[in-house]
Amino acid sequence: MGEQEFLIAEIDSTRYPKLNKALKYIPLDEFNDFSELKDTKLYDFYLELNKTEMKILNVADGSIGNSDPDQVAETMFYNNLMKFILSWNQKFYESLDQSHNLVLSETTKKKLNLCLAYFAAFDSYLSWILEESRFYSIPLILDAISEIEASFVLSSSFYYKQAAHLFRNFLELVVAQYYFSTNTKNFDDWRTLPHVNMPRFRGKDGMITNLRKNGKINNTEEEKLAQLFGTLSAYTHSKYEKLVHIDSKTKKSIPFGYNSRYFEEWMNLGIECMEIGLKILAKHTEDWEKQLEDEEDLLCPKCHEKAFETILEKYGKTEIMLHTCKNCNQQIRTDVLIEK
């Protein structure tokens, strides 16, 4: 007999109560070794985010069974998050070894582990957003994680100024995702008109000011975003003491290579950026869900068009509506998203 085919769907596609519970484990905690991950807040964050009851449809006979939410989340933790964080940890240390056979202090290792934990938390949340189609613009959300990935690569090769600059890009993309979802005309202009640039981040007409005025973020979050963006701008605009060949204290030239102080600054900036980034994306996700609920018509999660071709699929006694977007061919089944 051949292998049985299954479609997996969530019984309840709204995970926001669980998402809010997951965010309660932020800020994450430091740890000495990855063998301790099950005792960290990252573990609790991940399980809370992914612990969702599922129904499994056997397409051969239409029968439906239920999965164990805890077991699914636990399996995903080991198969997905553990592999992710160990892979990036290996990449980082391999790059260091190829350079100067450096041995990091235990304090630095713990801080790097925490930085990697935030990276893993953001990546796992991003995966959830993509699976649930709870994003406004897929290029913005994918580029945001790419900025973090590139920052880790550059930092492992001692390009601290360049690596920090990418955290600024990351913040801009995360905020733009939220801003554009409620300023759709600006998004269309930015996406289609060559002379239109990304809106200002802060200031009178800035994106974070707009979000705060419209009740999307609070004063504390706006101030934190503005402060971080300002700090990172020193790297973007090549402030003298941020150059990788200059000692920030003495202002004298130094040889290119590992610098414990610059590395510490980069890790601290990364942790702060990813922490606030998670919170802003969570607000966007919840807000976007409410916008989708208010839509009378089905909305394509990829291109936001409303024109679909719909057919009825039958699996035994089970019937599922399959909608195909006429604009981008994205397919949506009841409770199940299928990428074409």
Side-chain angles (χ1 to χ4, degrees), residues 187-248:
F187 175 74
D188 290 337
D189 290 345
W190 172 73
R191 186 169 58 91
T192 60
L193 301 178
H195 65 278
V196 176
N197 296 319
M198 179 71 76
R200 290 170 56 88
F201 188 85
R202 52 185 178 166
K204 182 180 178 181
D205 300 315
M207 292 188 289
I208 59 174
T209 305
N210 178 280
L211 289 173
R212 191 255 307 156
K213 286 182 176 179
N214 286 286
K216 305 299 183 182
I217 62 175
N218 58 40
N219 289 336
T220 302
E221 289 162 340
E222 181 189 16
E223 290 170 4
K224 181 63 177 179
L225 287 165
Q227 174 262 314
L228 271 174
F229 197 78
T231 299
L232 294 166
S233 292
Y235 297 88
T236 299
H237 300 301
S238 299
K239 196 169 182 179
Y240 187 72
E241 58 266 29
K242 299 303 181 184
L243 300 178
V244 292
H245 294 90
I246 293 295
D247 185 286
S248 60

